Amino acid sequence: MLSLSVHAQKKNLAPRPPMGWMTWNLFADDINEQKIMEMAEAMVSSGMRDAGYEYLFIDDGWVGGRDNRNNIIEDRSKFPSGMKNLVDRLHAKGLKVGIYSDAAQLTCAGYTASFGFEEQDAKTFASWGIDYLKYDYCHAPADSNTAKQRYRKMALALQQSGRDIVFGICEWGERQPWNWAADAGGHLWRTSLDIRDKWKMLPGEKWGQGILDNFDETVRHGAASGPGHWQDPDMLIAGLYGHKGPTMDGGGTGLSDVEYQTQFSLWAMLSAPLAASNDLRNMNTATKNILMNKEVIAIDQDALGRSCYPAGDSAVLGYEAYLKPLENGDFALAILNRASSPVNIKVNIKDLGLDGKFLIRDLWSHKDLGRSSYWKGSVLPRETKLFRLVK
Ligand code: GLA
């Protein structure tokens, strides 16, 4: 009955995929209050906050252990003013705050975690004003039943904490969370291993997933996605350009703006949470144009909350297309060119299963292309074209 009560008590705290900036890819566990405040200021001054990136997600590395009453405490050498004070300052900037823990005794990076202290930690997070918890699964038993129980336990603790806290499940898609994470009280769940700053895994590589790997693993479970229960293929990597750190492990290469634009387009098509992870304190124009493309963000945040699906058979069509139904009856259409050479194609919209003519809006060039039953053009190597088809 636990599962029913968790589900029944769950308010819809995440009607749209959460958006924000996450500390991990840039800083790993080398975080502190100064860096976080600098990034919060950059979120405001760059326009990111106003474009919808409202959460500042503090990832692994903030914990300093437990006090003599077993309360989880921040590392005071990193957070001299204390977590409550930092959260207040972030809220005053119009941001929400995410924090991180793990369903075992230690986090992935080896810091104190919440197993056995779920209620106490949830109350501490609530007393600090935390709005979101990413709950990792390192050092925890591999079987799915234990994972479900541990996630349920924390979901319930959050629900009884006295504060609305969004719950992000992070067991990397290893126990098919699309089948149980929403029931266990999660508002989103990672579908895949940590994303690296790379296009895709090469044949023979044992680990190190790229954009395409995480997209492919996520899109096939798209039916599980919807308002309040999102699939999370991990952070956005636009603007990292090979920054030394977690995304360069596992064969990271650094990517081009075209490739980063592809990730952003595909994540929007999936209705994925959008967690930027680059240095917002010095972003170039190309990165800003990707992360703050309002028309693409609107596809991601569309109220219907559907994931895209593959449209037509790419082997027959000669190109790879995805469609995403939108709340007002429009469709988003993505054409993905995985190849390292450009392709010239004609996309007949009826081949994708839609009838008639549409007003075709190119969401990267920001141009209306007129009313038509087809689109014809070239797609650059590794580019994704993104269109809104207006009936
Ligand atoms: C795991 C998660 C990452 C990050 C690190 C922190 O690898 O999947 O997203 O939170 O732990 O240690």
Side-chain angles (χ1 to χ4, degrees), residues 19 47-48 51-53 261 264-265 268 274 285-301 361-367 384 386:
M19 293 174 66
M48 286 285 283
Y53 295 85
Q261 182 175 312
F264 201 68
S265 304
L274 300 178
T285 307
T287 305
K288 286 184 186 164
N289 288 344
I290 294 171
L291 293 176
M292 290 189 273
N293 182 326
K294 294 196 173 147
E295 295 191 85
V296 179
I297 292 173
I299 300 299
D300 180 77
Q301 297 283 300
R361 169 97 181 152
D362 183 327
L363 304 186
W364 285 110
S365 73
H366 303 289
K367 287 198 177 101
T384 297
L386 195 57

Side-chain angles (χ1 to χ4, degrees), residues 22 24-25 28-29 58-61 100-102 107-111 134 136-138 170-172 190 192-196 232 234-235 246:
M22 194 168 270
W24 184 250
N25 287 347
D29 62 344
I58 301 172
D59 207 273
D60 206 349
Y100 167 97
S101 191
D102 188 294
T107 68
C108 295
Y111 293 78
K134 170 175 172 180
D136 219 331
Y137 204 67
C138 282
C170 180
E171 58 75 74
W172 325 290
R190 284 271 299 275
S192 30
L193 293 170
D194 293 7
I195 197 163
R196 308 298 166 180
D232 176 10
D234 204 9
M235 288 167 253

Side-chain angles (χ1 to χ4, degrees), residues 179-200:
N179 292 327
W180 55 265
D183 257 349
H187 298 99
L188 55 138
W189 57 87
R190 284 271 299 275
T191 50
S192 30
L193 293 170
D194 293 7
I195 197 163
R196 308 298 166 180
D197 199 354
K198 72 196 256 189
W199 180 243
K200 66 170 185 184

